[in-house]
Amino acid sequence: MARAREAGVGRILIPGIDLAQSRRAIALAEPYAEIRVAVGVHPNDTAEWDEAALGKLRELARHPKVDAIGEIGIDLYWKTVPLEQQQHAFRAQLQVAAELNKPVIIHDREAHGEVMTTLREYAPPAGVVLHAFSGDLAMANEALALDFYLGVDGPLTYKKNDGLRAIFAAVPLERILIETDAPYLTPQQKRGTRNEPAYVRWVAEKLAEVRGLTLTEIAHATTANAARLFRWPES
Ligand SMILES: [Zn+2]
């Protein structure tokens, strides 16, 4: 937290990956005004998803620290859980988001088609961010047409990722969120070590370079975007 503050990080949203971690995120957030939480069951953790889990998620989602449902989605890279079960849990959690009028943080790994098909039908009205966006420009444009946000993190700084930089140079600035995906996707500067909130500054710096803007302009715009999606007071 000290390093995050030092780096100018004013607000942190911790997503859940399962019910236990969602509870831990809430506990971690309690003493810090600047930490907010999303609760959700990540596709790779949906093996045990059932009616009881749904009830627990609904309960957690009502906690005053909770601003969103996530990470939820589909992962066809690890395939730890059959696609049908992932879909089942994904749809149920989108339903919870719609019921409680919360936005969703979407995990999509090598599942662009499945995720977009589901979201075309079930995207909750409060909003959607495709976190760690990894699709092409056509998918970005479709997401933008549906009013989704695109999340960008450490890979924007990786040397080989000119394609990703081209997408984030082209899409409207008011649709971009910056993230860490900590402990994963550490920016180039510290690649190979554990990611942490302070390092989001390097994502912002790279985005500024890619868009020909200043770090301050990027910080203001992406902070305003997060505030709009997660309904934070702007400060
Ligand atoms: Zn993810």
Side-chain angles (χ1 to χ4, degrees):
M1 286 306 292
R3 290 192 295 269
R5 285 171 183 155
E6 180 118 349
V9 175
R11 207 167 284 247
I12 294 169
L13 185 124
I14 308 177
I17 52 163
D18 58 25
L19 294 173
Q21 295 291 336
S22 296
R23 263 183 222 109
R24 282 188 69 192
I26 291 171
L28 183 57
E30 296 278 17
Y32 296 100
E34 66 265 57
I35 302 185
R36 306 293 302 175
V37 175
V39 294
V41 178
H42 187 284
N44 293 340
D45 295 284
T46 52
E48 265 138 58
W49 176 267
D50 57 11
E51 279 301 308
L54 174 61
K56 285 176 194 157
L57 180 77
R58 211 181 252 128
E59 202 180 302
L60 284 174
R62 292 202 168 95
H63 190 282
K65 276 283 186 184
V66 174
D67 291 332
I69 303 297
E71 293 183 25
I72 60 174
I74 309 278
D75 191 314
L76 295 180
Y77 176 79
W78 292 105
K79 291 187 187 148
T80 50
V81 180
L83 175 60
E84 262 184 44
Q85 172 72 359
Q86 292 190 40
Q87 283 282 20
H88 173 61
F90 185 24
R91 286 189 198 137
Q93 293 182 92
L94 288 168
Q95 191 64 46
V96 171
E99 268 169 40
L100 302 179
N101 201 26
K102 304 240 183 249
V104 289
I105 300 170
I106 302 296
H107 173 97
D108 158 24
R109 188 151 186 203
E110 299 191 3
H112 304 328
E114 289 80 359
V115 163
M116 291 303 284
T117 300
T118 304
L119 288 176
R120 259 177 240 124
E121 198 170 345
Y122 297 97
V128 173
V129 54
L130 301 178
H131 114 83
F133 181 76
S134 61
D136 60 11
L137 189 59
M139 180 179 169
N141 284 331
E142 192 193 347
L144 293 166
L146 292 165
D147 282 338
F148 298 171
Y149 289 79
L150 306 177
V152 65
D153 18 37
L156 192 73
T157 66
Y158 299 168
K159 290 186 175 75
K160 60 168 189 174
N161 280 351
D162 288 331
L164 189 67
R165 281 186 285 276
I167 289 171
F168 279 94
V171 299
L173 181 56
E174 59 277 11
R175 288 283 148 191
I176 300 176
L177 299 186
I178 54 172
E179 352 165 303
T180 59
D181 199 46
Y184 310 112
L185 303 184
T186 307
Q188 191 65 41
Q189 288 87 337
K190 291 269 184 180
R191 205 169 172 181
T193 71
R194 187 186 72 165
N195 204 355
E196 64 172 66
Y199 301 170
V200 79
R201 188 187 182 94
W202 289 319
V203 179
E205 283 175 359
K206 182 55 76 177
L207 189 61
E209 184 191 313
V210 159
R211 304 206 50 122
L213 294 171
T214 66
L215 177 61
T216 306
E217 287 168 322
I218 290 296
H220 282 158
T222 55
T223 300
N225 296 346
R228 199 182 314 120
L229 179 61
F230 299 119
R231 299 179 198 146
W232 295 339
E234 281 203 54
S235 55

